[in-house]
Amino acid sequence: MSPSTTPSLVELIARADERGLAAAALACLDRCMPLLVPEATDQLRPLWLGVARGGAGWSRRLAETTAVLEDARPAPVGDEEAALVRSMLDAAPAGWAPGSLRAWADTCSLTALELHQRLGAAAGPELARALDLCRAGDLDAVGPLAGGELRRQVRALEILAEGGAYGLRRVLELSAEGRRILQAVVSRRARIA
């Protein structure tokens, strides 16, 4: 996959509707949950229901999700990666409006790519440039972990743009696959430490 054969992630986010934006942001957060809650499962279920219902009760569902995560066994305090995942949830807008959902989708996309790039090894002064290239669709600029995350983000937005009754379910399945991969990385890192 090269930048010339696929729309960039930035272009896909710019074209997405409210439901697509919320689902894309939530999918990024969902895939990164193992860094916040090591045994992440369905803590984000209230928000997924809100997306499925086109934003109905969104602010209530956001408050419910925040409460669920405060009760969950969190990652150690001071963990920078956990703080970045938490910042993704904290950035979720209370309202269901295109501008705020687009900003959230953009924030979650970039944060998820950053986390995957960090876990894949390439952090430091090269990180910002690698993330810019990654979001432009240049998979050669990043390692396999961040490249996989980029592919999942692009695919999720493409599925959501196609519409259809099963689009959200397919995005959930794609997100669950990414979450399992990240859980494996987190487990491996814990064993090595």
Side-chain angles (χ1 to χ4, degrees):
M1 188 183 300
S2 72
S4 60
T5 60
T6 185
S8 76
L9 189 52
V10 174
E11 291 169 340
L12 289 168
I13 290 171
R15 293 194 305 233
D17 63 10
E18 289 96 331
R19 187 171 182 256
L21 292 166
L26 190 52
C28 289
L29 174 58
D30 194 4
R31 287 189 296 274
C32 294
M33 283 298 291
L35 295 168
L36 181 63
V37 180
E39 299 303 320
T41 55
D42 62 353
Q43 288 88 352
L44 300 177
R45 172 174 235 133
L47 287 180
W48 281 115
L49 288 171
V51 171
R53 294 181 178 151
W58 179 257
S59 60
R60 179 178 47 80
R61 293 177 193 284
L62 179 58
E64 183 181 336
T65 300
T66 302
V68 165
L69 287 173
E70 286 172 359
D71 291 340
R73 189 183 81 207
V77 175
D79 185 320
E80 186 178 345
E81 291 157 356
L84 282 170
V85 176
R86 183 62 196 216
S87 75
M88 294 166 78
L89 179 62
D90 292 344
W96 187 264
S100 56
L101 289 170
R102 185 164 283 108
W104 186 41
D106 195 56
T107 295
C108 289
S109 168
L110 192 57
T111 303
L113 287 169
E114 178 181 346
L115 285 164
H116 282 77
Q117 185 72 359
R118 284 180 180 209
L119 291 170
E126 313 298 317
L127 179 61
R129 177 162 166 62
L131 290 175
D132 287 343
L133 292 170
C134 185
R135 284 174 52 94
D138 186 353
L139 292 177
D140 295 331
V142 295
L145 194 61
E149 172 61 13
L150 173 65
R151 281 188 289 277
R152 280 184 285 281
Q153 287 190 29
V154 167
R155 187 64 192 129
L157 284 160
E158 289 172 342
I159 289 167
L160 292 161
E162 291 166 8
Y166 297 105
L168 193 56
R169 180 178 295 172
R170 290 170 55 207
V171 169
L172 278 163
E173 291 167 358
L174 192 64
S175 185
E177 171 196 328
R179 189 174 58 245
R180 283 190 297 272
I181 290 168
L182 201 60
Q183 280 173 321
V185 170
V186 169
S187 293
R188 186 169 55 245
R189 189 172 64 167
R191 284 193 304 271
I192 292 170

